[in-house]
Amino acid sequence: MKITENSPAAKRLEQLIRQDEINREESSLLSDFLDHHFDEIDSQLLSTIHKALSLPIEKSYSQAILSTLDIDPDEEELKKLLECGFLSDVCLLSAKDFLGNPYLKKIRLKEKRSGKWSLSWNYFLPYEGFLLKATESKGKEKDYALKDAIAFFPEKVDYPVVLEKDHVWMSVTPYEIETMKEPLKKATGKVLALGLGLGYYPFMALEKKEVEEVVVVEKDKDVLSLFEKEILPQFPRKKITLIHADAKDYLEKKNTTFDTTFFDIHSTAEDSLESYLLALKERKRTGNVSFWIESSTLSFLRQLVLLLLEMELEKDSTVPEGTKEEQNLFLCMRKNLQDRVLTSAEEVDLLLSDSLLQELLLNCENG
């Protein structure tokens, strides 16, 4: 790949690299808060900030996050982050609204174990911070700045989980509810759900009059067993079929057509590349295919391509740190783009568009 020096493409890229550095700094600070300081905010701290600054509770919470991270509010770098929207989307949630969700109202779980998996309950502490929405890009007009939403309850709130050897693997929280809203809007007719979890998606899909039946594919027998015994009997009396199979194998062998397909066989954007490939190929065949936290996966891919462009600009031919899968994808993208010449800003933005990122991923899988 070639980027002409001092060209509009090079200038556009330098602009995007500056924003990408801000994105990475925001992600690092947010991860630090969510991993290490999520439970350090309480009513006393919020009251102190509110009285001192006369801010609404959500704005006071943003200030409280900065306080837990021990960041100087007058630091120039922080001012840049705040100007770009860091901590601008903070939501006070209602426990009543959350617990009024149809799934949580209907499904009553008892603690049970099957193999390495167990059904249990976890909880949010009062004022504990957590992610509310999937990370998404604000688009090329905002230089692909990332947008994250943080939420909290003012009281202790319980929520159901599936544990894998005492580690939370699946749950029904405001994050799951929020990130499945769009896929559920698209659910119609005969629905294929790849990945079971606690059955939130199939339950909510079956609540829709437009949905006739749901077929769920889950590769773990114990997860299926727990679901069949403890949760399925509480489901709406609509047709639901459970299949024990690997998603990839099932898609390759299936001879049934579906009106809707939903992929939920990953837990983060970083571990979603293989399943996203499956989803993209299925989308070419059937059209109505949704992918859980797709915006986060696309943001992750965009960051990878931006890194490739930055290294090309600096004439750096090394391989960046990352998982083996990420490094292989990086090398494949570098190879596929080696003959591309970028001269205009539009060409740079096109390369970072959703459709081109998807094409790059598909080309690497095919290669």
Side-chain angles (χ1 to χ4, degrees), residues 5-21 306 313 348:
E5 287 186 20
N6 299 317
S7 66
K11 291 176 181 176
R12 175 60 173 152
L13 186 52
E14 288 167 0
Q15 186 179 5
L16 294 175
I17 289 169
R18 285 195 295 272
Q19 181 59 56
D20 187 52
E21 289 171 351
L306 263 174
L313 201 63
V348 174

PDB file of all heavy atoms in Angstrom, residues 5-21 306 313 348:
ATOM      1  N   GLU A   5       3.145  11.201   0.215  1.00  0.00           N
ATOM      2  CA  GLU A   5       3.469  12.184   1.250  1.00  0.00           C
ATOM      3  C   GLU A   5       2.834  13.536   0.935  1.00  0.00           C
ATOM      4  O   GLU A   5       2.775  13.972  -0.214  1.00  0.00           O
ATOM      5  CB  GLU A   5       4.990  12.350   1.367  1.00  0.00           C
ATOM      6  CG  GLU A   5       5.675  11.155   2.024  1.00  0.00           C
ATOM      7  CD  GLU A   5       7.151  11.414   2.251  1.00  0.00           C
ATOM      8  OE1 GLU A   5       7.547  12.592   2.271  1.00  0.00           O
ATOM      9  OE2 GLU A   5       7.890  10.440   2.405  1.00  0.00           O
ATOM     10  N   ASN A   6       2.351  14.195   1.985  1.00  0.00           N
ATOM     11  CA  ASN A   6       1.740  15.529   1.886  1.00  0.00           C
ATOM     12  C   ASN A   6       0.496  15.575   0.988  1.00  0.00           C
ATOM     13  O   ASN A   6       0.041  16.650   0.609  1.00  0.00           O
ATOM     14  CB  ASN A   6       2.760  16.565   1.389  1.00  0.00           C
ATOM     15  CG  ASN A   6       3.933  16.696   2.339  1.00  0.00           C
ATOM     16  OD1 ASN A   6       3.758  16.729   3.553  1.00  0.00           O
ATOM     17  ND2 ASN A   6       5.134  16.755   1.781  1.00  0.00           N
ATOM     18  N   SER A   7      -0.024  14.398   0.684  1.00  0.00           N
ATOM     19  CA  SER A   7      -1.243  14.336  -0.115  1.00  0.00           C
ATOM     20  C   SER A   7      -2.455  14.515   0.790  1.00  0.00           C
ATOM     21  O   SER A   7      -2.357  14.413   2.020  1.00  0.00           O
ATOM     22  CB  SER A   7      -1.337  12.988  -0.828  1.00  0.00           C
ATOM     23  OG  SER A   7      -1.495  11.954   0.129  1.00  0.00           O
ATOM     24  N   PRO A   8      -3.640  14.781   0.207  1.00  0.00           N
ATOM     25  CA  PRO A   8      -4.854  14.828   1.030  1.00  0.00           C
ATOM     26  C   PRO A   8      -5.067  13.538   1.821  1.00  0.00           C
ATOM     27  O   PRO A   8      -5.569  13.577   2.949  1.00  0.00           O
ATOM     28  CB  PRO A   8      -5.959  15.035  -0.009  1.00  0.00           C
ATOM     29  CG  PRO A   8      -5.297  15.755  -1.129  1.00  0.00           C
ATOM     30  CD  PRO A   8      -3.906  15.181  -1.194  1.00  0.00           C
ATOM     31  N   ALA A   9      -4.658  12.405   1.256  1.00  0.00           N
ATOM     32  CA  ALA A   9      -4.793  11.125   1.972  1.00  0.00           C
ATOM     33  C   ALA A   9      -3.920  11.114   3.217  1.00  0.00           C
ATOM     34  O   ALA A   9      -4.355  10.680   4.299  1.00  0.00           O
ATOM     35  CB  ALA A   9      -4.413   9.969   1.047  1.00  0.00           C
ATOM     36  N   ALA A  10      -2.667  11.576   3.095  1.00  0.00           N
ATOM     37  CA  ALA A  10      -1.751  11.594   4.236  1.00  0.00           C
ATOM     38  C   ALA A  10      -2.248  12.542   5.322  1.00  0.00           C
ATOM     39  O   ALA A  10      -2.187  12.229   6.517  1.00  0.00           O
ATOM     40  CB  ALA A  10      -0.348  11.998   3.775  1.00  0.00           C
ATOM     41  N   LYS A  11      -2.759  13.697   4.917  1.00  0.00           N
ATOM     42  CA  LYS A  11      -3.267  14.670   5.889  1.00  0.00           C
ATOM     43  C   LYS A  11      -4.519  14.138   6.600  1.00  0.00           C
ATOM     44  O   LYS A  11      -4.691  14.325   7.805  1.00  0.00           O
ATOM     45  CB  LYS A  11      -3.576  15.994   5.195  1.00  0.00           C
ATOM     46  CG  LYS A  11      -2.313  16.709   4.718  1.00  0.00           C
ATOM     47  CD  LYS A  11      -2.641  17.975   3.944  1.00  0.00           C
ATOM     48  CE  LYS A  11      -1.364  18.646   3.450  1.00  0.00           C
ATOM     49  NZ  LYS A  11      -1.636  19.843   2.614  1.00  0.00           N
ATOM     50  N   ARG A  12      -5.392  13.482   5.820  1.00  0.00           N
ATOM     51  CA  ARG A  12      -6.594  12.884   6.426  1.00  0.00           C
ATOM     52  C   ARG A  12      -6.203  11.795   7.411  1.00  0.00           C
ATOM     53  O   ARG A  12      -6.780  11.692   8.502  1.00  0.00           O
ATOM     54  CB  ARG A  12      -7.492  12.307   5.324  1.00  0.00           C
ATOM     55  CG  ARG A  12      -8.719  11.555   5.813  1.00  0.00           C
ATOM     56  CD  ARG A  12      -9.631  12.417   6.635  1.00  0.00           C
ATOM     57  NE  ARG A  12     -10.874  11.758   6.973  1.00  0.00           N
ATOM     58  CZ  ARG A  12     -11.584  12.033   8.058  1.00  0.00           C
ATOM     59  NH1 ARG A  12     -11.169  12.944   8.926  1.00  0.00           N
ATOM     60  NH2 ARG A  12     -12.716  11.393   8.306  1.00  0.00           N
ATOM     61  N   LEU A  13      -5.219  11.007   7.036  1.00  0.00           N
ATOM     62  CA  LEU A  13      -4.779   9.917   7.896  1.00  0.00           C
ATOM     63  C   LEU A  13      -4.187  10.448   9.200  1.00  0.00           C
ATOM     64  O   LEU A  13      -4.440   9.896  10.281  1.00  0.00           O
ATOM     65  CB  LEU A  13      -3.760   9.054   7.156  1.00  0.00           C
ATOM     66  CG  LEU A  13      -3.294   7.781   7.853  1.00  0.00           C
ATOM     67  CD1 LEU A  13      -4.482   6.926   8.301  1.00  0.00           C
ATOM     68  CD2 LEU A  13      -2.395   6.965   6.938  1.00  0.00           C
ATOM     69  N   GLU A  14      -3.404  11.507   9.110  1.00  0.00           N
ATOM     70  CA  GLU A  14      -2.838  12.104  10.327  1.00  0.00           C
ATOM     71  C   GLU A  14      -3.939  12.586  11.261  1.00  0.00           C
ATOM     72  O   GLU A  14      -3.840  12.461  12.485  1.00  0.00           O
ATOM     73  CB  GLU A  14      -1.910  13.259   9.943  1.00  0.00           C
ATOM     74  CG  GLU A  14      -0.605  12.789   9.302  1.00  0.00           C
ATOM     75  CD  GLU A  14       0.168  13.921   8.652  1.00  0.00           C
ATOM     76  OE1 GLU A  14      -0.322  15.081   8.706  1.00  0.00           O
ATOM     77  OE2 GLU A  14       1.246  13.663   8.091  1.00  0.00           O
ATOM     78  N   GLN A  15      -4.995  13.135  10.682  1.00  0.00           N
ATOM     79  CA  GLN A  15      -6.158  13.583  11.461  1.00  0.00           C
ATOM     80  C   GLN A  15      -6.820  12.400  12.169  1.00  0.00           C
ATOM     81  O   GLN A  15      -7.169  12.469  13.360  1.00  0.00           O
ATOM     82  CB  GLN A  15      -7.133  14.255  10.495  1.00  0.00           C
ATOM     83  CG  GLN A  15      -8.338  14.914  11.130  1.00  0.00           C
ATOM     84  CD  GLN A  15      -9.227  15.563  10.075  1.00  0.00           C
ATOM     85  OE1 GLN A  15      -8.988  15.443   8.868  1.00  0.00           O
ATOM     86  NE2 GLN A  15     -10.257  16.248  10.525  1.00  0.00           N
ATOM     87  N   LEU A  16      -6.981  11.295  11.443  1.00  0.00           N
ATOM     88  CA  LEU A  16      -7.625  10.106  12.004  1.00  0.00           C
ATOM     89  C   LEU A  16      -6.755   9.438  13.058  1.00  0.00           C
ATOM     90  O   LEU A  16      -7.268   8.883  14.035  1.00  0.00           O
ATOM     91  CB  LEU A  16      -7.942   9.109  10.880  1.00  0.00           C
ATOM     92  CG  LEU A  16      -8.990   9.572   9.866  1.00  0.00           C
ATOM     93  CD1 LEU A  16      -9.120   8.551   8.743  1.00  0.00           C
ATOM     94  CD2 LEU A  16     -10.339   9.791  10.533  1.00  0.00           C
ATOM     95  N   ILE A  17      -5.456   9.481  12.860  1.00  0.00           N
ATOM     96  CA  ILE A  17      -4.535   8.891  13.841  1.00  0.00           C
ATOM     97  C   ILE A  17      -4.633   9.638  15.166  1.00  0.00           C
ATOM     98  O   ILE A  17      -4.617   9.033  16.244  1.00  0.00           O
ATOM     99  CB  ILE A  17      -3.091   8.896  13.300  1.00  0.00           C
ATOM    100  CG1 ILE A  17      -2.960   7.862  12.173  1.00  0.00           C
ATOM    101  CG2 ILE A  17      -2.089   8.579  14.412  1.00  0.00           C
ATOM    102  CD1 ILE A  17      -1.661   7.958  11.399  1.00  0.00           C
ATOM    103  N   ARG A  18      -4.751  10.966  15.098  1.00  0.00           N
ATOM    104  CA  ARG A  18      -4.898  11.755  16.339  1.00  0.00           C
ATOM    105  C   ARG A  18      -6.172  11.355  17.075  1.00  0.00           C
ATOM    106  O   ARG A  18      -6.173  11.196  18.300  1.00  0.00           O
ATOM    107  CB  ARG A  18      -4.918  13.252  16.015  1.00  0.00           C
ATOM    108  CG  ARG A  18      -3.571  13.837  15.653  1.00  0.00           C
ATOM    109  CD  ARG A  18      -3.583  15.351  15.693  1.00  0.00           C
ATOM    110  NE  ARG A  18      -4.454  15.932  14.681  1.00  0.00           N
ATOM    111  CZ  ARG A  18      -4.082  16.219  13.443  1.00  0.00           C
ATOM    112  NH1 ARG A  18      -2.846  15.972  13.057  1.00  0.00           N
ATOM    113  NH2 ARG A  18      -4.937  16.767  12.593  1.00  0.00           N
ATOM    114  N   GLN A  19      -7.264  11.173  16.321  1.00  0.00           N
ATOM    115  CA  GLN A  19      -8.517  10.751  16.953  1.00  0.00           C
ATOM    116  C   GLN A  19      -8.403   9.333  17.491  1.00  0.00           C
ATOM    117  O   GLN A  19      -8.941   9.018  18.562  1.00  0.00           O
ATOM    118  CB  GLN A  19      -9.671  10.838  15.964  1.00  0.00           C
ATOM    119  CG  GLN A  19     -11.021  10.440  16.539  1.00  0.00           C
ATOM    120  CD  GLN A  19     -11.433  11.274  17.727  1.00  0.00           C
ATOM    121  OE1 GLN A  19     -11.488  12.498  17.638  1.00  0.00           O
ATOM    122  NE2 GLN A  19     -11.730  10.627  18.850  1.00  0.00           N
ATOM    123  N   ASP A  20      -7.707   8.467  16.771  1.00  0.00           N
ATOM    124  CA  ASP A  20      -7.531   7.094  17.219  1.00  0.00           C
ATOM    125  C   ASP A  20      -6.759   7.039  18.535  1.00  0.00           C
ATOM    126  O   ASP A  20      -7.053   6.224  19.409  1.00  0.00           O
ATOM    127  CB  ASP A  20      -6.803   6.274  16.152  1.00  0.00           C
ATOM    128  CG  ASP A  20      -6.753   4.790  16.495  1.00  0.00           C
ATOM    129  OD1 ASP A  20      -7.820   4.215  16.786  1.00  0.00           O
ATOM    130  OD2 ASP A  20      -5.653   4.209  16.480  1.00  0.00           O
ATOM    131  N   GLU A  21      -5.781   7.919  18.684  1.00  0.00           N
ATOM    132  CA  GLU A  21      -5.038   7.996  19.953  1.00  0.00           C
ATOM    133  C   GLU A  21      -5.967   8.405  21.088  1.00  0.00           C
ATOM    134  O   GLU A  21      -5.873   7.876  22.210  1.00  0.00           O
ATOM    135  CB  GLU A  21      -3.882   8.991  19.813  1.00  0.00           C
ATOM    136  CG  GLU A  21      -2.761   8.497  18.915  1.00  0.00           C
ATOM    137  CD  GLU A  21      -1.735   9.574  18.607  1.00  0.00           C
ATOM    138  OE1 GLU A  21      -1.995  10.764  18.955  1.00  0.00           O
ATOM    139  OE2 GLU A  21      -0.695   9.257  18.007  1.00  0.00           O
ATOM    140  N   LEU A 306      -6.604   1.138  10.816  1.00  0.00           N
ATOM    141  CA  LEU A 306      -5.942   2.421  11.087  1.00  0.00           C
ATOM    142  C   LEU A 306      -4.500   2.212  11.545  1.00  0.00           C
ATOM    143  O   LEU A 306      -3.599   2.963  11.150  1.00  0.00           O
ATOM    144  CB  LEU A 306      -6.714   3.187  12.162  1.00  0.00           C
ATOM    145  CG  LEU A 306      -7.696   4.245  11.673  1.00  0.00           C
ATOM    146  CD1 LEU A 306      -8.485   4.810  12.837  1.00  0.00           C
ATOM    147  CD2 LEU A 306      -6.987   5.358  10.925  1.00  0.00           C
ATOM    148  N   LEU A 313       2.463   4.648   6.912  1.00  0.00           N
ATOM    149  CA  LEU A 313       2.894   6.045   6.845  1.00  0.00           C
ATOM    150  C   LEU A 313       4.278   6.215   7.455  1.00  0.00           C
ATOM    151  O   LEU A 313       5.086   7.025   6.989  1.00  0.00           O
ATOM    152  CB  LEU A 313       1.871   6.923   7.578  1.00  0.00           C
ATOM    153  CG  LEU A 313       1.829   8.407   7.229  1.00  0.00           C
ATOM    154  CD1 LEU A 313       1.450   8.623   5.774  1.00  0.00           C
ATOM    155  CD2 LEU A 313       0.834   9.124   8.138  1.00  0.00           C
ATOM    156  N   VAL A 348      -9.277   7.196   1.795  1.00  0.00           N
ATOM    157  CA  VAL A 348      -8.988   6.739   3.167  1.00  0.00           C
ATOM    158  C   VAL A 348     -10.287   6.395   3.888  1.00  0.00           C
ATOM    159  O   VAL A 348     -10.414   5.342   4.516  1.00  0.00           O
ATOM    160  CB  VAL A 348      -8.204   7.824   3.950  1.00  0.00           C
ATOM    161  CG1 VAL A 348      -8.042   7.413   5.413  1.00  0.00           C
ATOM    162  CG2 VAL A 348      -6.841   8.065   3.317  1.00  0.00           C
TER     163      VAL A 348
END
